[in-house]
Amino acid sequence: AITAGVRDESANKVTLGEGVYRNGEGQPEVLESVVQAERRIVAAELDHEYAPVPGLANFISSARQFAFGFNSTPLREGRIATVQTLSGTGALRIAAAFFQQYNPLGASAPVYMPKPTWGNHKNIFHAAGLSTEHYRYFDNKTNGLDMKGMIEDLRAAPEQSIILLHACAHNPTGVDPSLEQWKEISDVCKARKHVVFFDNAYQGFASGDPDRD
């Protein structure tokens, strides 16, 4: 499909395979913040020393504050453990290996993910020896969230199931729960003692506000 897309000569074609910004000519749009960060890295003349096993301390601290918010109570209380990984896919693979070894329901219990979800989720978890199941998420009739079906499936999953959720800017639908719907999802997961696992790839891209996302 990717090869066919490259060969397509249509002037109106749109690439939906990656979650990236593109300009009017279809080329990658590099954010000014990324340009400035690259310049700072070059100017710092870093020594390319090996990072500690958990990752670079400054990067870990900044990433943790960005993801959870500076005013996060668990963060202030020191209850969040953080490690640096090789990209988001690498983070998923490490999490999958962790769940394969420490799944509260056993290694053969499935990971529940939305239908649809990012195309590589299944591959990553299957490579770690885990099975996967879906819960209802997207409603094809309304092009919106199937909240009723999602809640029913989360309630029906065995207690302590691993539930994969997209934090925001759901891939591939772009459909996210409202704040009130998130509260209901949270209540159900707490009641069922589920292990909630967020894939947080696009924080700040949904609303433009990382704290809101």
Side-chain angles (χ1 to χ4, degrees), residues 46-127:
L46 304 176
D47 57 15
H48 296 275
E49 178 62 273
Y50 277 105
V53 173
L56 295 172
N58 288 342
F59 175 83
I60 288 174
S61 177
S62 296
R64 185 166 53 225
Q65 290 174 341
F66 180 85
F68 293 94
F70 288 89
N71 296 319
S72 166
T73 298
L75 183 60
R76 293 200 309 269
E77 295 177 350
R79 295 191 283 116
I80 297 176
T82 312
V83 295
Q84 183 178 353
T85 65
L86 180 62
S87 78
T89 302
L92 287 165
R93 185 61 177 84
I94 291 174
F98 178 87
F99 287 136
Q100 200 280 333
Q101 187 170 356
Y102 298 107
N103 191 330
L105 298 181
S108 61
V111 175
Y112 290 83
M113 52 188 60
K115 185 178 182 179
T117 191
W118 178 49
N120 214 21
H121 275 147
K122 276 188 177 182
N123 298 333
I124 293 170
F125 284 99
H126 289 175

Side-chain angles (χ1 to χ4, degrees), residues 20-23 25-31:
V20 297
Y21 283 115
R22 293 188 180 275
N23 60 25
E25 287 70 48
Q27 299 303 310
E29 181 72 21
V30 182
L31 301 179

Side-chain angles (χ1 to χ4, degrees), residues 115-117 137-140 143-144 166 169-176:
K115 185 178 182 179
T117 191
Y137 188 86
F138 185 69
D139 188 335
N140 291 307
N143 285 334
H166 295 225
H170 178 273
N171 183 358
T173 69
V175 173
D176 293 330

